[in-house]
Amino acid sequence: MTVHIGAEPGSIAETVLMPGDPLRAKWAAETFLDDPVCVNQVRGMLGFTGTWKGNRVTIHGSGMGMPSLSIYANELIRDFGAKTLVRIGSCGAMQDHVKLRDVIIAMTASSYSTPSASFFRDLSYAPCADWSLLRAAAAAAEAKGSTTHVGGIYSADVFYDERPDLDEQMTRHGVLAVEMEAAELYTVAARLGARALAVLTVSDHLRTHEALPSSDRERSFGEMVEIALEAAFS
Ligand code: ADE
């Protein structure tokens, strides 16, 4: 047990899927895993371990934002031996050719800061995905027929950003989408010797101001769970 994860030793799998929302973790575990068991509920941050096609997997919430994700990623890797962590979540599109419901596989994640920023002093470290996971996720998404984009995303510190020029610069530089966790996941995983990837679906569009209705979010979320599982065990 750790400060934030009340799981028994050995009850977390080496492969962990991390949605932001703990209730999504519950839904995904009950929908996709065989014999899911709740292994954590400290502070309402739910984690479940079960099997998928005979492979042991944990689905554990990360909470919103990099400071929250950082706590869980650190404890999952350091204390519970997680070796593969795949974030599954939503993002806001920053390019005209990216549409609602498209799948984004994040090759890199830019940020202003992460909880790890002080490790690098003045260096602008480039958090990047694990190549084997990235390649497998892209293949799985294509096989499903999902419209998929592989490239750079931006991990923001705030959801309600009042700097319109920032979004414009991200768009100019080809950033596909914004979310709030991947840069720290990639950085912590690199530091602690684990593999990491973020598979996202577009839930809103910063340029057109469209947003997915909540009924569509569940279907898109299910697609991401399947892509993440196929990538992790390919
Ligand atoms: N996650 C989903 N949409 C987002 C947005 N517009 N900004 C930050 N994180 C997001």
Side-chain angles (χ1 to χ4, degrees):
M1 290 188 198
T2 58
V3 177
H4 302 94
I5 301 178
E8 297 294 330
S11 65
I12 303 263
E14 287 190 357
T15 296
V16 184
L17 267 50
M18 299 188 79
D21 178 352
L23 291 178
R24 290 277 158 142
K26 183 173 192 290
W27 179 85
E30 288 171 352
T31 306
F32 293 97
L33 302 190
D34 293 323
D35 307 319
V37 173
C38 182
V39 292
N40 186 35
Q41 41 190 337
V42 174
R43 291 177 181 243
M45 189 52 74
L46 303 174
F48 297 82
T49 297
T51 58
W52 179 78
K53 297 188 179 174
N55 300 292
R56 203 158 171 260
V57 53
T58 294
I59 307 184
H60 195 289
S62 70
M64 287 182 283
M66 290 186 272
S68 177
L69 174 133
S70 189
I71 290 170
Y72 296 106
N74 267 284
E75 293 182 13
L76 287 165
I77 301 170
R78 284 170 192 268
D79 301 296
F80 291 98
K83 296 197 173 353
T84 296
L85 296 92
V86 184
R87 163 163 158 67
I88 43 178
S90 59
C91 62
M94 302 187 97
Q95 300 291 332
D96 291 332
H97 71 277
V98 176
K99 308 292 183 201
L100 291 186
R101 297 183 196 81
D102 285 1
V103 174
I104 305 276
I105 299 176
M107 189 153 62
T108 61
S110 301
S111 67
Y112 260 107
S113 65
T114 72
S116 297
S118 60
F119 281 82
F120 303 108
R121 305 186 188 201
D122 294 334
L123 177 81
S124 179
Y125 175 74
C128 73
D130 175 83
W131 166 240
S132 60
L133 285 174
L134 181 102
R135 182 171 51 180
E142 273 164 34
K144 278 192 177 312
S146 316
T147 305
T148 307
H149 310 270
V150 181
I153 62 159
Y154 160 50
S155 298
D157 292 326
V158 287
F159 189 89
Y160 298 105
D161 202 325
E162 296 187 12
R163 298 166 294 183
D165 54 315
L166 171 65
D167 290 351
E168 197 49 45
Q169 291 305 334
M170 293 288 167
T171 302
R172 272 183 79 197
H173 288 83
V175 171
L176 295 171
V178 56
E179 52 82 84
M180 300 185 71
E181 291 83 15
E184 176 68 358
L185 175 64
Y186 288 3
T187 306
V188 170
R191 188 160 68 239
L192 301 179
R195 305 192 300 164
L197 180 69
V199 179
L200 310 164
T201 51
V202 176
S203 62
D204 56 279
H205 209 296
L206 273 68
R207 296 178 66 76
T208 63
H209 306 293
E210 303 162 279
L212 272 190
S214 54
S215 52
D216 280 32
R217 287 179 190 224
E218 191 161 295
R219 204 186 57 213
S220 305
F221 185 74
E223 191 174 87
M224 277 186 294
V225 176
E226 289 175 333
I227 292 168
L229 288 167
E230 281 168 28
F233 296 111
S234 69

